[in-house]
Amino acid sequence: MTQDSLALVFPGQGSQKVGMMTDAYASFESVRDTFEEAAEVVHYDMWALVKDGPQEALNLTETTQPVLLTCSVALWRAWQEQGGVMPGIMAGHSLGEFSALVCASALSFTDAVALVRRRGQFMQTAVPVGMGAMAVVLGLDDSVINEICATLTGEEGSVSPVNYNSPGQVVIAGHSAAVEAACVALKKAGATRTLPLPVSAPFHTSLMKPAGEQLAQAIADITIAIPSIPVVHNVNAQIQNDPEKIRSVLVEQIYSPVQWTDCMRFMINRGTTRLVECGPGKVLSGLARRIDKSLTVASIERPDALTAAISEIT
């Protein structure tokens, strides 16, 4: 049974915290099994890290990515185990796009765990620590941010919008000095707030192209199937069914902006009225409400929330 009005979305980096998924791990065998399966790929006790930390280790990009993918896939399996209906469409934010493709049977879980671990390594080493930065900009039109970033790209390096998260929330990234200068200029232009993000690399910028080249090699031999559920891709807010084109957009995504607002609007225009966030936290649920207040939104990290969402969506 499918529910064409239902979309599942999968979070990316920033949703991780020590102790997440504790109740789900205790409640669902499928969640425990998924963490055991991931541990065999990464060769460490992933659940012990999630449960006990330390947070600094959990925040390492090469660790965060396989951990969050595992959390999302585990909740998807619990959703199915408990009788949840199949969604009509899926999307994931940055790393979350890999989670969506696993849940849509386009990538195997074990292949994806190994792949996103390497993706994290590639992204972390593409730019020397301290050279890049990211910041969130609140309360300013996308067009103003685009223009100011384009104007400031020059002697102090490059800066560009990288996550169009919702109207009034855009993340910028690039060389550290250029990001700092952009934050000053954007505040003068009317931004209500600019906030540096605690990351050590400028994700989704042209500076990530070396990581993209490495990812292209790593993904070349991985089997990709036609998704069983349509997945909306970050780079162009479109559905892609050709496995080779999926391979290509996954590489392009690493150095291209995340068009999350457009992804959400694409799903809404296709008939989505209910949204379930399949992963830790409520970041995407909050963004969804900013994009369209009429959406019915649920986050299912907690078992009671998961079972409530399943009972409400029939």
Side-chain angles (χ1 to χ4, degrees):
M1 177 180 172
T2 61
Q3 178 68 260
D4 289 339
S5 64
L6 173 65
L8 255 64
V9 293
F10 301 86
Q13 292 188 89
S15 293
Q16 72 277 3
K17 66 177 181 179
V18 173
M20 61 185 177
M21 300 284 293
T22 300
D23 291 339
Y25 188 90
S27 298
F28 301 123
E29 183 178 1
S30 54
V31 172
R32 297 189 291 274
D33 289 346
T34 303
F35 273 95
E36 287 182 19
E37 195 177 344
E40 292 179 5
V41 177
V42 298
H43 305 297
Y44 63 81
D45 188 338
M46 185 183 284
W47 177 247
L49 174 61
V50 170
K51 182 168 68 77
D52 300 323
Q55 187 71 44
E56 294 76 17
L58 197 59
N59 286 347
L60 290 172
T61 300
E62 66 179 82
T63 305
T64 307
Q65 297 201 24
V67 163
L68 285 177
L69 180 136
T70 299
C71 290
S72 286
V73 172
L75 287 172
W76 165 244
R77 290 174 174 178
W79 174 270
Q80 294 177 295
E81 180 185 276
Q82 297 301 307
V85 298
M86 300 287 279
I89 200 163
M90 291 176 166
H93 191 289
S94 190
L95 161 76
E97 190 167 298
F98 290 82
S99 304
L101 288 166
V102 171
C103 297
S105 303
L107 285 172
S108 81
F109 175 56
T110 52
D111 279 350
V113 169
L115 182 63
V116 301
R117 188 185 195 188
R118 296 185 71 188
R119 179 179 183 264
Q121 293 168 340
F122 301 152
M123 292 170 78
Q124 189 61 64
T125 57
V127 177
V129 173
M131 182 181 286
M134 301 181 75
V136 62
V137 181
L138 302 177
L140 209 55
D141 287 346
D142 294 358
S143 60
V144 176
I145 298 172
N146 295 344
E147 184 178 345
I148 288 175
C149 287
T151 302
L152 288 173
T153 293
E155 290 183 10
E156 295 190 84
S158 62
V159 58
S160 59
V162 293
N163 295 346
Y164 294 94
N165 284 337
S166 69
Q169 186 188 123
V170 173
V171 175
I172 63 171
H175 291 98
S176 297
V179 171
E180 288 177 23
C183 286
V184 172
L186 291 163
K187 285 283 283 183
K188 288 181 180 176
T192 55
R193 193 176 183 194
T194 61
L195 184 67
L197 295 178
V199 297
S200 55
F203 303 141
H204 299 292
T205 68
S206 60
L207 299 174
M208 287 286 115
K209 286 204 169 175
E213 292 169 3
Q214 292 175 296
L215 183 64
Q217 293 179 348
I219 205 172
D221 296 327
I222 287 179
T223 299
I224 300 178
I226 297 170
S228 59
I229 299 167
V231 174
V232 187
H233 293 280
N234 288 183
V235 298
N236 55 13
Q238 295 292 320
I239 291 166
Q240 189 55 257
N241 288 321
D242 181 338
E244 292 312 307
K245 290 184 178 175
I246 292 172
R247 200 185 308 274
S248 176
V249 296
L250 288 176
V251 171
E252 188 180 347
Q253 188 228 63
I254 210 169
Y255 54 80
S256 302
V258 174
Q259 304 287 351
W260 189 250
T261 301
D262 287 347
C263 289
M264 287 293 302
R265 286 176 173 154
F266 179 91
M267 293 190 289
I268 292 163
N269 289 338
R270 290 252 306 195
T272 295
T273 59
R274 290 178 173 269
L275 193 87
V276 169
E277 182 167 4
C278 191
K282 300 180 179 180
V283 171
L284 300 182
S285 301
L287 295 178
R289 292 189 181 96
R290 292 191 188 100
I291 293 166
D292 189 332
K293 290 182 173 60
S294 70
L295 286 172
T296 302
V297 179
S299 306
I300 60 169
E301 180 185 350
R302 293 182 56 84
D304 56 347
L306 185 146
T307 53
I310 288 174
S311 67
E312 290 167 9
I313 302 168
T314 56

